[in-house]
C-alpha cells in the first residue's frame, strides 16, 4: 500500500517537538518556496534565525525521507522541523507527490549501481565519503568510476583494444 500524503503521515515520521516547531514555522510563513515533483517536494524554509534552509522530502516505499541543509540533524527516517513545515505546506495546498515504486528485484551491487540515475550515484558516493573520509584522496577516481555510464566504460575498453 502506498503512502497517502496527509497530516497524519507527516506526524508519523516526526517527533512531537519537530511537529510543534514545524507547525509554528508554517504558521509564521517560514515556507518561502515550495516545488512539487512527481515523487518529492523541495523548497526553502526560514529557520527561527531567519536563515533559509534547503529542504527535500520524498516518499520511498512506505516511508518519508528528508534532507535539510539547516543545523538540525534528525535521525534516519525522521523529519526535522523544516521538513515538517514544508510537508504540511504542501499537504494544505494539495500539491501532488506520491510514493516511489518499490523495486524488490535482487541485484548484485554492480547491477544496483548501474540501475541508479546519475543523481542516485552521486548520493551513494556522498554517503560513502561520509562513512569513509579516508577515501577523499581518491574521490576524483571514485567519482569517475561511480558516475561514468556503463557505455563509457565499454567505449574505453573498445578504444584500448583498437589501440593495441
Amino acid at each position: 500500500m502506498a503512502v497517502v500524503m496527509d497530516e497524519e503521515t507527516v506526524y508519523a515520521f516526526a517527533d512531537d517537538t519537530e511537529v510543534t516547531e514545524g507547525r509554528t514555522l508554517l504558521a509564521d510563513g517560514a515556507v518561502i518556496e515550495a516545488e512539487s515533483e512527481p515523487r518529492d517536494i523541495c523548497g526553502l524554509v526560514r529557520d527561527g534565525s531567519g536563515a533559509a534552509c534547503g529542504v527535500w522530502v520524498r516518499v520511498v516505499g512506505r516511508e518519508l525521507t528528508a534532507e535539510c541543509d539547516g543545523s538540525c540533524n534528525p535521525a534516519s527516517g525522521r523529519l526535522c522541523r523544516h521538513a515538517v513545515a514544508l510537508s504540511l505546506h504542501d499537504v494544505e495546498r494539495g500539491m501532488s507527490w506520491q510514493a516511489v515504486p518499490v523495486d524488490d528485484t535482487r541485484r548484485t551491487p554492480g547491477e544496483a549501481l548501474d540501475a541508479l540515475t546519475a543523481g542516485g550515484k552521486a548520493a551513494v558516493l556522498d554517503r560513502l565519503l561520509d562513512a569513509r573520509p579516508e577515501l577523499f584522496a581518491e574521490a576524483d577516481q571514485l567519482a569517475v568510476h561511480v558516475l561514468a555510464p556503463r557505455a563509457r566504460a565499454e567505449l574505453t575498453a573498445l578504444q584500448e583494444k583498437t589501440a593495441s
Side-chain angles (χ1 to χ4, degrees):
M1 179 176 178
V3 170
V4 176
M5 280 313 306
D6 57 16
E7 285 186 29
E8 286 181 33
T9 302
V10 175
Y11 297 160
F13 289 93
D15 299 330
D16 290 342
T17 302
E18 304 300 338
V19 169
T20 301
E21 292 177 4
R23 290 198 66 70
T24 300
L25 287 171
L26 180 63
D28 291 345
V31 178
I32 55 177
E33 185 178 304
E35 186 174 321
S36 176
E37 295 291 328
R39 298 190 168 140
D40 58 16
I41 55 171
C42 60
L44 294 174
V45 179
R46 275 197 200 97
D47 200 344
S49 66
C53 302
V55 183
W56 170 83
V57 181
R58 181 174 228 179
V59 181
V60 179
R62 293 187 177 114
E63 295 187 5
L64 291 181
T65 61
E67 291 183 24
C68 177
D69 64 11
S71 60
C72 50
N73 192 15
S76 178
R78 305 305 295 166
L79 302 180
C80 69
R81 63 187 175 270
H82 306 105
V84 169
L86 179 65
S87 297
L88 292 176
H89 174 273
D90 283 10
V91 166
E92 286 180 0
R93 282 152 186 79
M95 298 175 104
S96 75
W97 42 304
Q98 59 205 2
V100 175
V102 176
D103 182 0
D104 292 335
T105 307
R106 289 224 172 249
R107 296 186 174 116
T108 67
E111 291 171 334
L113 189 60
D114 286 342
L116 292 175
T117 63
K121 290 177 183 178
V124 168
L125 184 57
D126 284 343
R127 288 187 182 127
L128 174 64
L129 292 174
D130 284 344
R132 303 272 312 274
E134 70 273 12
L135 296 176
F136 273 112
E138 290 87 22
D140 289 339
Q141 292 174 356
L142 279 170
V144 169
H145 177 72
V146 170
L147 298 176
R150 187 176 1 158
R152 182 179 296 160
E154 292 170 355
L155 178 60
T156 302
L158 182 60
Q159 288 172 338
E160 289 173 359
K161 278 185 179 179
T162 306
S164 17

